[in-house]
């Protein structure tokens, strides 16, 4: 008893790392920006569940996704390797092959080896099947999440706006009628079926760019699809479906260590919130989907409370990339934005080398291991999740596991106020941050993306900012501080060339 008390005191004083958590839940939002949650300053939408997490945990102000779009970001999170090191890790079509080699150490495989039951629920977008062999959606689909470390998987294969618009549960399309097989093509339409072009007048949500191929649920998508009528998802109930699956996973795992990766579809396009959330904000579907996302978070927290697991479960909430308004549908995201700042104080958004591309909300709640109600400016990148969660969960990493992933668990639990000293931000090009200096490599192309109107950070000569004096990245100092720029450019080349 005396020893027990002593241990408790020591760990509470933060001198000793706490014991591994019983549960780990990573809630991974899609396209939620730094300024989109009320605990990060949003006023036009209220996110009580996210705010509760922040109040009961640690809120980081310098949390970064691995990249400014989905696939490379998730690749980095899962493998601990920068996506820019590997070809074919850009935004994937819905029929792409799995881009993570089965057998290589991943975030889930390491936690699984440490005795955690691992599950993924939600958006996948890392490909399925083997390159060179087209996926047959009517047969068991592998390799996929279960071949790279997840014990169970309930996923949407790619994105909400890409076919196939079906859920895949443990390798099988859910609800598929064998008499109505699914065919998918990213090349050509299926004769006789309407497209977003031909049936444009009848769509329930019009497209603004792309999204004019298959029509599913009255909405144009990317890619063509035929068959599978009974298996098609329903956009309105997608968030509830994923939340229910997440809750089911936690309930099933209540008696053993578990790791849940809950990757929501909210708030990616097409934004079709459940009627419960329509009109919850003045911002139209984009704002209402933030409210829906928060509802999902609330359901997870309520489940942990109900099962008595809250104290010893580490809940981490973050996003895969920064915000975007018009991402291809006329959903009033631009017209109704009002004074809301989706990227908070940062410049740019999704796909951008500016801070808004990768600087995202990051909240960690773990009553047994993290002090409540604190804010930290420590720099933490999701590339370090593999090493950091491995450390927190007390598992050793085999040599070469997560080659770019560094253990910054101390920053994640609030003990280290500095975090990463050097950070790479991947968008179209790469940017590098060292201390407060940030260098964006030279890159031709539009400064503002023509379709989404996001500022890209492209500049033929590169750019240099000092984030301490100029957090909004408005004062390009590349001409005035050539030495800093040169050093950072060199450092970036060293990191890029490092094959290890
Ligand atoms: C773009 C899509 C966009 C979105 C994005 C991927 C068009 C015109 N735009 O190509 O709508 O799907 O890819 O988003 O098709 S991500 O968050 O999954 O990276
Ligand atoms: Ca995304």
């Amino acid at each position: 008893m005396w020893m027990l008390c002593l241990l408790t005191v020591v760990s509470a004083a933060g001198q000793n790392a706490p014991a591994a958590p019983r549960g780990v839940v990573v809630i991974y939002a899609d396209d939620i920006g730094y300024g989109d949650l009320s605990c990060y300053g949003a006023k036009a939408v209220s996110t009580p569940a996210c705010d509760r997490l922040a109040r009961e945990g640690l809120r980081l102000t310098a949390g970064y996704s691995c990249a400014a779009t989905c696939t490379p970001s998730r690749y980095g999170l899962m493998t601990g390797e920068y996506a820019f090191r590997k070809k074919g890790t850009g935004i994937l079509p819905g029929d792409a092959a799995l881009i993570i080699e089965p057998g290589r150490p991943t975030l889930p495989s390491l936690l699984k080896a440490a005795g955690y039951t691992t599950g993924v629920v939600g958006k996948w977008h890392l490909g399925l099947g083997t390159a060179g062999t087209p996926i047959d959606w009517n047969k068991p689909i592998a390799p996929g999440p279960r071949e790279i470390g997840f014990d169970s998987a309930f996923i949407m294969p790619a994105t909400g706006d890409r076919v196939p618009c079906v859920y895949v549960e443990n390798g099988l399309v859910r609800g598929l009628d064998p008499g109505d097989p699914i065919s998918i093509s990213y090349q050509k339409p299926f004769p006789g079926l309407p497209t977003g072009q031909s049936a444009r007048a009848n769509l329930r949500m019009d497209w603004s760019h792309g999204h004019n191929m298959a029509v599913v649920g009255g909405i144009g998508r990317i890619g063509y699809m035929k068959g599978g009528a009974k298996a098609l998802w329903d956009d309105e109930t997608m968030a509830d479906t994923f939340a229910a699956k997440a809750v089911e996973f936690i309930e099933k795992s209540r008696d053993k260590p578990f790791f849940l990766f809950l990757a929501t579809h909210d708030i990616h396009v097409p934004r079709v919130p459940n009627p419960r959330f329509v009109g919850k904000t003045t911002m139209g579907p984009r704002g209402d989907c933030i409210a829906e996302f928060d509802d999902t978070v609330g359901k997870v927290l309520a489940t942990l409370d109900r099962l008595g697991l809250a104290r010893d479960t580490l809940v981490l909430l973050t996003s895969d990339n920064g915000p975007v308004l018009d991402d291809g549908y006329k959903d009033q995201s631009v017209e109704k934005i009002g004074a809301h700042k989706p990227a908070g104080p940062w410049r740019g958004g999704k796909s951008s080398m500016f801070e808004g591309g990768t600087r995202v909300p990051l909240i960690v709640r773990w009553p047994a291991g993290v002090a409540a109600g604190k804010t930290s400016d420590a720099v933490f990148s999701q590339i370090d999740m593999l090493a950091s969660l491995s450390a927190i969960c007390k598992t050793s990493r085999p040599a070469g596991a997560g080659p770019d992933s560094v253990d910054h668990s101390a920053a994640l639990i609030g003990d280290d106020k500095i975090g990463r000293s050097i950070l790479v931000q991947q968008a179209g090009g790469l940017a590098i941050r060292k201390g407060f200096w940030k260098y964006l490599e030279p890159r031709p192309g539009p400064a503002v993306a023509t379709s989404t109107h996001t500022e890209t950070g492209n500049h033929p000569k590169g750019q240099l900012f000092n984030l301490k004096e100029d957090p909004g990245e408005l004062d390009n100092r590349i001409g005035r501080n050539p030495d800093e720029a040169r050093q950072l450019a060199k450092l970036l080349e060293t990191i890029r060339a490092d094959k290890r």
Side-chain angles (χ1 to χ4, degrees), residues 30-31 70 123 125 161-162 209 211 222 268 327 350:
D30 199 351
D31 295 1
C70 172
K123 173 171 171 177
H125 212 188
D161 56 348
R162 284 174 176 74
H209 41 101
H211 305 105
I222 309 172
H268 197 278
D327 208 14
K350 180 174 178 176

Side-chain angles (χ1 to χ4, degrees), residues 414-438:
D415 284 350
D416 170 15
K417 306 283 178 253
I418 308 292
R420 247 188 192 260
S421 54
I422 298 167
L423 172 91
V424 177
Q425 292 164 266
Q426 178 183 349
L430 300 183
I432 183 164
R433 177 181 167 179
K434 184 176 183 206
F436 284 103
W437 285 105
K438 176 170 169 188

Side-chain angles (χ1 to χ4, degrees), residues 245-274:
K245 281 287 166 186
V247 167
E248 185 187 310
F249 175 84
I250 296 171
E251 278 169 349
K252 275 193 193 154
S253 318
R254 61 196 290 179
D255 296 325
K256 51 200 175 204
F258 63 88
F259 167 56
L260 169 64
F261 179 52
L262 170 56
T264 68
H265 159 67
D266 278 323
I267 59 167
H268 197 278
V269 297
R271 301 174 182 127
V272 188
N274 187 273

Side-chain angles (χ1 to χ4, degrees), residues 10-21 23-24 53-54 56-61 311-317 362-381 384-385 387-394 406-420:
V10 169
S11 72
Q15 291 157 5
N16 245 0
V24 176
L53 265 189
E56 296 176 354
L58 178 73
R59 189 183 68 98
L60 287 98
T61 64
R311 187 176 155 72
D312 208 11
T313 297
L314 186 155
V315 180
L316 189 151
L317 182 148
L362 175 57
I363 305 171
V364 185
R365 186 193 77 171
W366 178 23
V370 174
K374 298 249 159 68
T375 293
S376 167
D377 297 331
V379 175
F380 185 87
S381 167
D384 296 327
M385 209 81 96
S388 304
L389 286 182
S390 294
I392 287 171
C393 295
K394 313 276 188 228
V406 179
D407 173 12
H408 280 294
S409 52
L412 218 46
I413 64 173
D415 284 350
D416 170 15
K417 306 283 178 253
I418 308 292
R420 247 188 192 260

